[in-house]
Amino acid sequence: MRTAAVVGASLAGLSAARSLRKQGFDGRLVVIGDELHRPYDRPPLSKEFLAGTLGETDLSLEAGDEDLAAEWLLGTRAVGLDHAGRAVRLADGREVRADGIVIATGAAARTLPGSEGLAGVHTLRTLDDARALRDELARGGRLVVIGGGFIGAEVASTAYALGLDVTVVEVAPTPLAGPLGPAMGAIVSALHADHGVRLLCGVGVKGLSGESRVDAVLLEDGRSIPADIVVVGVGARPCVEWLEGSGLELDNGVKCGADGRTNLAGVVAVGDCANWYDPRAGHHRRVEHWTGARERPEAAIATLLAGGAVAPGVPRPPYFWSDQYGVKIQFVGNATAADSVTVEAGAADHRDVLAVYRRAGDPVAVLGMNQPRLFMRWRKQLAAASS
């Protein structure tokens, strides 16, 4: 392999580029990114960066002396993959020919239909998104967050600390029930009420009102929630439209094996756009976690350099964290695999629980709220049990 192209210049793409060099690839390395920015850390965008306590230089994922000897093609979007010609087509008309291709185009925030062109309406996925939202929050006012997931909850927490009047609207009866299950989702989302943030559950959003700028969120039950700023946090979609017609198997992202291998030779997928086979779960999963974007490219690159399947080993259980209202929330494993969950330390009322999810008596996931030491012990046990 003489040339490798990494399509996507965020954490997963950078991790893939690093793994290529670490595993001995000394050929031409091209990294393509649709943003103008060099790789940066996304988790602080909804927290410290939005609050103004962290600057843009602090977000950099690259060390000051790091040199991957790569060609960086930034501010240009990939629009097509010609597998037969081993080429990635770019929006500016250029083509990048490569022997090995890493798909790392991530995911994009879902938008609210009908909100296009209405000032005061934001999504939060990129640095530019965070810049725009930070400027708006600095003016204060009434914020409505649509979606009670982790991004929405973190934005609500940050805005509350900045002194805004905050309302969170969630269509599900219990926020975070998907990743945490209903019982623990209710405990974590109770942090909103603890701090005087209104949480409206079990009701959908009908639309927004306002001429040039949003002035209210219209709910399906007929209520109208006044709003100066709206943040739409209703999930993300994998950025794989550009791969349609390429022959690559697409199914909620790029379908691939546990080792990142796709159905096309010389093409692997990593990060938020990869729908990878999880041998522990027994099915494909697309997991949008920071740790996965950092760790999983190593196996995918080993596969790419080997020119075929390699034994990737059993991946570590997915792990993510969140900071809300001064509470550190950590989770590892898969809550949907559990048939029971018990609080084994702390108390729900004190928001310092350590909860263990089990299936047939065996632990499959762990949740910690302000229980970092105990949580890390359980995380190690879970990893050891599944290896």
Side-chain angles (χ1 to χ4, degrees):
M1 193 168 71
R2 297 180 180 179
T3 300
V6 178
V7 190
S10 193
L11 175 61
L14 177 62
S15 298
R18 284 170 169 164
S19 290
L20 278 161
R21 293 309 191 202
K22 182 180 178 181
Q23 295 183 38
F25 176 69
D26 59 3
R28 181 188 179 210
L29 173 57
V30 183
V31 182
I32 302 162
D34 61 351
E35 294 185 62
L36 289 168
H37 314 293
R38 297 280 286 211
Y40 60 86
D41 209 13
R42 294 187 192 274
L45 296 181
S46 57
K47 300 183 283 286
E48 299 94 336
F49 182 81
L50 201 59
T53 60
L54 202 67
E56 292 188 18
T57 56
D58 300 312
L59 299 176
S60 176
L61 288 170
E62 299 172 275
D65 59 350
E66 184 173 17
D67 183 9
L68 294 172
E71 298 174 34
W72 293 85
L73 304 183
L74 301 177
T76 185
R77 183 168 49 88
V79 295
L81 172 64
D82 177 5
H83 182 252
R86 296 287 184 176
V88 177
R89 297 193 301 273
L90 306 182
D92 61 11
R94 288 181 292 176
E95 282 191 346
V96 176
R97 295 188 177 276
D99 309 300
I101 297 170
V102 181
I103 308 297
T105 41
R110 296 186 185 278
T111 58
L112 192 67
S115 64
E116 300 84 0
L118 198 59
V121 182
H122 300 263
T123 56
L124 182 55
R125 183 76 185 185
T126 68
L127 176 56
D128 291 337
D129 292 340
R131 284 171 173 169
L133 180 56
R134 184 184 58 182
D135 291 345
E136 292 243 43
L137 294 182
R139 303 188 186 103
R142 299 163 298 184
L143 169 69
V144 176
V145 179
I146 301 173
F150 284 105
I151 291 296
E154 289 170 0
V155 170
S157 170
T158 302
Y160 161 80
L162 292 172
L164 280 79
D165 178 90
V166 184
T167 300
V168 178
V169 179
E170 169 59 50
V171 68
T174 305
L176 304 173
L180 303 182
M184 294 301 114
I187 291 173
V188 172
S189 59
L191 288 168
H192 295 302
D194 291 348
H195 294 82
V197 170
R198 290 179 296 280
L199 176 60
L200 307 178
C201 296
V203 60
V205 172
K206 183 179 181 180
L208 306 177
S209 72
E211 295 184 3
S212 60
R213 183 179 181 86
V214 67
D215 57 31
V217 175
L218 308 178
L219 304 184
E220 290 182 343
D221 63 8
R223 283 179 289 176
S224 176
I225 311 299
D228 303 301
I229 310 166
V230 171
V231 173
V232 180
V234 292
R237 56 171 181 79
C239 296
V240 295
E241 298 92 343
W242 67 282
L243 293 166
E244 292 178 2
S246 66
L248 204 61
E249 187 174 2
L250 305 178
D251 178 14
N252 185 31
V254 179
K255 197 169 185 180
C256 59
D259 56 1
R261 185 165 49 111
T262 71
N263 64 307
L264 296 183
V267 181
V268 296
V270 298
D272 291 358
C273 70
N275 185 11
W276 56 279
Y277 181 77
D278 183 348
R280 186 183 296 104
H283 56 77
H284 282 78
R285 304 176 66 194
R286 193 173 65 82
V287 181
E288 298 175 15
H289 293 167
W290 188 93
T291 49
R294 186 188 65 177
E295 296 171 356
R296 294 189 58 75
E298 183 177 357
I301 294 307
T303 299
L304 186 67
L305 293 177
V310 296
V314 179
R316 294 206 297 172
Y319 164 75
F320 64 87
W321 75 95
S322 179
D323 296 292
Q324 300 173 29
Y325 304 101
V327 176
K328 186 172 187 63
I329 300 161
Q330 296 169 284
F331 186 86
V332 62
N334 181 9
T336 62
D339 55 29
S340 68
V341 57
T342 56
V343 174
E344 308 215 348
D349 290 345
H350 297 159
R351 313 298 184 223
D352 63 352
V353 302
L354 189 289
V356 179
Y357 300 70
R358 291 182 171 87
R359 182 177 185 86
D362 296 324
V364 294
V366 181
L367 166 70
M369 296 178 70
N370 278 348
Q371 292 277 7
R373 291 185 181 178
L374 192 54
F375 175 85
M376 290 310 294
R377 265 187 254 144
W378 271 100
R379 184 186 177 191
K380 290 177 182 177
Q381 290 179 32
L382 203 64
S386 59
S387 62

